[in-house]
Every structure is written in structure tokens, then in C-alpha cells.
Amino acid sequence: MFKLAPIALATLLLATSAMAQVKPFPASFKTQEIATNGATIHVRVGGSGPAVVLLHGYGETGDMWEPLAVELAKDHTVVVPDLRGLGLSSKPASGGYDKKNQGQDVAGVLDALKITKADLVTHDIGNMVGYAFAAEHRDRVGRFVLIDAPLPGVGPWDEILKNPLLWHFRFGGPDMERLVAGRERIYLDRFWNEFSANPARFTEASRQHYAKLYAQPGAMHGGFSQFAAFDQDAIDNKAFVAEGKLTVPVLALGGEKSFGPMMATVMRFAASNVTEGVVPDSGHWIMEENPKATVAMVRDFLDAKP
């Protein structure tokens, strides 16, 4: 039987571990702490050219976007914030977690970077923040990609809320924070497992990386606050829709084993120029489960400018 020598085996294990970890952004990306709108937003910026903003969702941070950021930085200025309350951004105890307010966080970041207009690529709760920004700053958005999460109050929202898998939308408060204190990994594993087509693709190294970030003081409170704001978000979004649908080109992407074509169904209630897309062989965690397809679909859409 073929056997690896101990040194060779150790080298292989180290290489496998390195490949499985969340990759750091290249040295060409610089980080900034931008104070705006009552929060300090941790931002990665790299590349040059037309601007594109990448917004993450719950269970991850801006770190999720590394494969896409590297590709887009070839010909874009890529801006990757951590949402308030999450990752390395500040965690204001005073609140401000409604997505309309967080849209102003995005506006403040772009103002600080002297960027007047940008494309948006968003995932999960990032969709909600991106939509609020786009609805309030319609002249500042070029093209908009939303990936695998609905918008509160828009389209079939009330029916979506009946899905038993979404019980976490109403999970929060001081007692819930005590329940998960020191058990952040257990709580987050449930998301990474139940919303994956293949949970093994959300690697152990990635789980450790994000669990550590969510175990920071105030991070779980910030995460719960994102969901607690959904009722206000629904009110705000209904008002945005009443003002008129977005007219910018929109790509609504759903994971094949998650929201799938439902993403386009939702977005047609809020935007008039919607292209439907499905990320194959993927659940919710598109950048972990099928980054190659996701990057290609986003790149093709952003490149299709007239």
C-alpha cells in the first residue's frame, strides 16, 4: 500500500488547510475605518476603474467576497465594507440597524472615498441594505446584483415568513443573547448546515474564521439587531416601492437549492428591469458552494453595460 512519509503528510495537511481557509484580500487592497452616520465602518478598497460595492449578509463578513473582489479589481475600484454591527465594523449599542439607516452608512462610505456612483453586488442582508441605498440614491447606482435573500415587505414577503426554516427572523433579545453567549459556533453552524446544498463546502476553517468574528463583544447583538429591524424595513420598503420601481438593470440570483428563481419573482415587485439567474449546484452560501459560477455570472452582468 502507498504511504506518505510523515513530513510529506504534514505538508499535504498544511496545504489542504491553507486552501480551505477564508483567503485574505491581496496586499493591493487597503483597509480603512470610515466614521460615518454614528458608526465606524471597516472597508477594504482595491483596484481602479468604475466603482463596485460588495455587501455581505448574516453569518459572514466582507471576507466572503475575496474571490469576486480579486476578479473585479482587474478593472474596477472594489469597495467591500463590513455592515455595522458585524465583522470589524463598530457595533453601536444605540442601534441604527434598520436598512434605510444602513443605506446611509453606504452613502457615507462612498462620500468618504469620493465615489459618486457605483454598481452594487449584495448577498443576504446585504440585499436589503443595498436596496435601501439604491431606492434613496437612485442616481448613484449603475447596475445591481442581488443574491439569495428576499426584501422585507416586498412581493411575497408574508408567505416567505411562513417558512419554518426562517424562525431566526424572530429570534433575538437579551435572553437569546445569553443563550448563545459562548456558543456562537453552535448557533452559526445551523445556518451554514441547513442553508447549504452541501454543508461540507462551508469548510471547517471558514466556520472557525467567522465564528471567531461573531464571538466578539457586541457582534451577536448586532446580528440579532439586523433581524429585529425587519418590521421597520418592511414599512420603509413599501414606501420605496410606492415611490416607483428601480429602473437600473438588476440581476436577481438565487442558489439552485435555495431561493432559485424566486429571487427574480421578488425583485420584479421592486424593479422594472430584472434579469433572472440561478447559481447551479449551490444553496444559500454561493461564494463557498460555487464561487466559480457566481463570479462568472456577476462579471458577465456587470460587463454588459451599453
Side-chain angles (χ1 to χ4, degrees):
M1 180 183 296
F2 176 74
K3 293 184 179 180
L4 284 171
I7 293 178
L9 178 60
T11 301
L12 176 61
L13 290 174
L14 285 172
T16 302
S17 176
M19 288 174 61
Q21 292 180 23
V22 176
K23 291 183 180 179
F25 277 63
S28 58
F29 276 76
K30 307 303 180 185
T31 59
Q32 299 184 40
E33 311 303 319
I34 296 177
T36 183
N37 194 31
T40 300
I41 305 300
H42 178 76
V43 185
R44 311 151 189 82
V45 183
S48 62
V52 58
V53 179
L54 313 181
L55 299 178
H56 70 92
Y58 187 74
E60 297 180 297
T61 69
D63 292 341
M64 68 169 281
W65 291 118
E66 185 272 342
L68 180 61
V70 169
E71 169 62 28
L72 294 181
K74 295 174 182 177
D75 51 12
H76 289 78
T77 297
V78 182
V79 180
V80 189
D82 286 346
L83 299 180
R84 74 161 56 205
L86 302 177
L88 298 181
S89 289
S90 68
K91 298 157 182 65
S94 57
Y97 291 95
D98 62 277
K99 310 312 173 291
K100 183 176 180 179
N101 187 63
Q102 290 187 77
Q104 297 308 313
D105 292 351
V106 175
V109 165
L110 293 181
D111 290 344
L113 297 173
K114 297 180 170 53
I115 295 171
T116 58
K117 189 170 185 176
D119 293 337
L120 300 178
V121 181
T122 62
H123 178 247
D124 190 79
I125 283 177
N127 290 353
M128 306 171 191
V129 176
Y131 173 69
F133 171 77
E136 286 208 295
H137 303 274
R138 298 180 185 230
D139 59 338
R140 299 191 71 173
V141 177
R143 298 173 81 82
F144 190 0
V145 182
L146 301 96
I147 307 175
D148 213 70
L151 299 178
V154 174
W157 174 250
D158 291 338
E159 289 302 309
I160 291 170
L161 287 178
K162 295 176 183 178
N163 186 331
L165 286 176
L166 302 181
W167 57 263
H168 58 276
F169 282 12
R170 296 294 184 186
F171 188 83
D175 291 330
M176 283 66 167
E177 289 180 35
R178 288 196 303 134
L179 280 172
V180 301
R183 306 178 183 89
E184 295 85 4
R185 168 63 187 272
I186 297 172
Y187 184 71
L188 292 167
D189 269 338
R190 177 260 164 178
F191 290 84
W192 298 326
N193 291 338
E194 290 195 5
F195 297 121
S196 293
N198 181 352
R201 292 182 189 164
F202 206 111
T203 66
E204 175 61 24
S206 295
R207 292 166 188 253
Q208 291 182 16
H209 175 83
Y210 289 119
K212 183 177 180 180
L213 287 167
Y214 276 80
Q216 295 178 103
M220 291 302 287
H221 174 78
F224 288 145
S225 297
Q226 298 282 355
F227 295 105
F230 279 4
D231 287 345
Q232 182 60 49
D233 297 337
I235 293 170
D236 293 335
N237 288 345
K238 288 176 181 178
F240 291 146
V241 171
E243 292 171 6
K245 293 182 177 183
L246 300 181
T247 58
V248 298
V250 167
L251 174 62
L253 287 180
E256 180 184 10
K257 305 298 184 181
S258 186
F259 273 91
M262 177 60 71
M263 272 304 302
T265 299
V266 170
M267 285 312 301
R268 289 188 179 107
F269 286 91
S272 59
N273 183 4
V274 177
T275 299
E276 176 182 311
V278 175
V279 180
D281 192 27
S282 181
H284 179 66
W285 309 105
I286 42 86
M287 293 306 296
E288 287 72 29
E289 298 186 69
N290 198 342
K292 183 176 180 179
T294 305
V295 169
M297 296 173 82
V298 171
R299 164 60 91 174
D300 288 348
F301 179 75
L302 296 184
D303 285 351
K305 296 181 180 180

